[in-house]
Amino acid sequence: MPKTLVTFYSNTGNNRFLAGEIAKRLNCEIEEIVPVINVHLLLLSGIGLGNKAIKKDLSAYDRVILVGPVWMGSFIYPLRKFISKHRNEVKQWLFVTCCGSSYKLKKDKYGHEMVSRKIRDMFPDLNIKCTALPITMTMPDDLQDDPKAMMETRLSEANFNGLFREKFNALMTELV
């Protein structure tokens, strides 16, 4: 198995939890990406002053799994900046998101499939594999179309089951 580092940025904790589960399953190291300025509206607008330095030497890893959110159809600044800075240090990149975009809406303007295309367009030389695990898979059927309920849902041990866990397990099988 390739030597792997899981890196993540998380605003609500969903992607922190997901990154932790990936690192546990792969028995690998994990490191948080911390923006110099962590203001949601600025980051959503693509404005930032970079990220704080990470402790790990990325060139020591074969693969980096970048875990983070998708906001309003955007590949957000801290994640984009991280890849831009470290793009030549890593052989293989994978982006995984716990997002609000459902599989049903994956192709709309805010959908995770559109963000995956944007990522591949931004970094065509890196051949980044993108995987989405929508938080809506943890929600009851009658709440999956409710934006407020989706924004309030947090990934945790209590709801890390059902279809979400099934899709997670499929991803882990691919990564081993």
Side-chain angles (χ1 to χ4, degrees):
M1 184 164 77
K3 185 171 181 189
T4 302
L5 175 67
V6 174
T7 59
F8 72 93
Y9 170 77
S10 185
N11 187 54
T12 65
N14 289 338
N15 284 286
R16 175 186 305 276
F17 182 88
L18 180 58
E21 291 298 312
I22 293 169
K24 273 194 273 185
R25 182 71 74 87
L26 296 178
N27 194 29
C28 66
E29 296 180 59
I30 186 169
E31 176 134 4
E32 183 173 10
I33 297 166
V34 180
V36 172
I37 295 178
N38 195 10
V39 176
H40 185 266
L41 285 177
L42 290 176
L43 298 178
L44 180 61
S45 301
I47 299 168
L49 297 176
N51 298 320
K52 294 180 181 177
I54 60 170
K55 296 174 183 128
K56 308 285 189 236
D57 174 8
L58 294 187
S59 66
Y61 298 90
D62 301 309
R63 169 174 70 181
V64 169
I65 300 173
L66 179 64
V67 181
V70 169
W71 294 342
M72 303 291 292
S74 296
F75 186 51
I76 63 170
Y77 177 85
L79 305 174
R80 197 171 61 243
K81 186 69 175 173
F82 185 80
I83 291 178
S84 293
K85 182 175 181 180
H86 300 288
R87 69 187 300 149
N88 297 321
E89 298 172 47
V90 179
K91 296 174 190 133
Q92 183 183 8
W93 290 90
L94 173 67
F95 173 62
V96 180
T97 182
C98 176
C99 61
S101 166
S102 67
Y103 286 125
K104 180 172 59 174
L105 299 175
K106 68 183 181 182
K107 292 184 179 187
D108 85 353
K109 69 179 182 176
Y110 300 127
H112 58 265
E113 192 171 289
M114 301 306 286
V115 175
S116 294
R117 282 192 198 130
K118 288 177 187 177
I119 293 168
R120 287 189 293 271
D121 288 347
M122 279 183 225
F123 305 102
D125 56 316
L126 299 182
N127 193 26
I128 299 173
K129 180 178 173 21
C130 301
T131 301
L133 297 168
I135 192 71
T136 52
M137 292 189 299
T138 67
M139 300 167 58
D141 291 344
D142 62 326
L143 293 177
Q144 289 184 6
D145 292 327
D146 181 342
K148 185 175 185 280
M150 183 271 303
M151 291 299 291
E152 293 173 352
T153 300
R154 297 294 175 258
L155 189 57
S156 67
E157 288 294 332
N159 63 8
F160 190 68
N161 53 38
L163 184 58
F164 195 98
R165 184 174 288 277
E166 183 182 315
K167 297 288 188 181
F168 175 83
N169 287 339
L171 172 63
M172 292 300 99
T173 299
E174 286 179 36
L175 295 178
V176 178

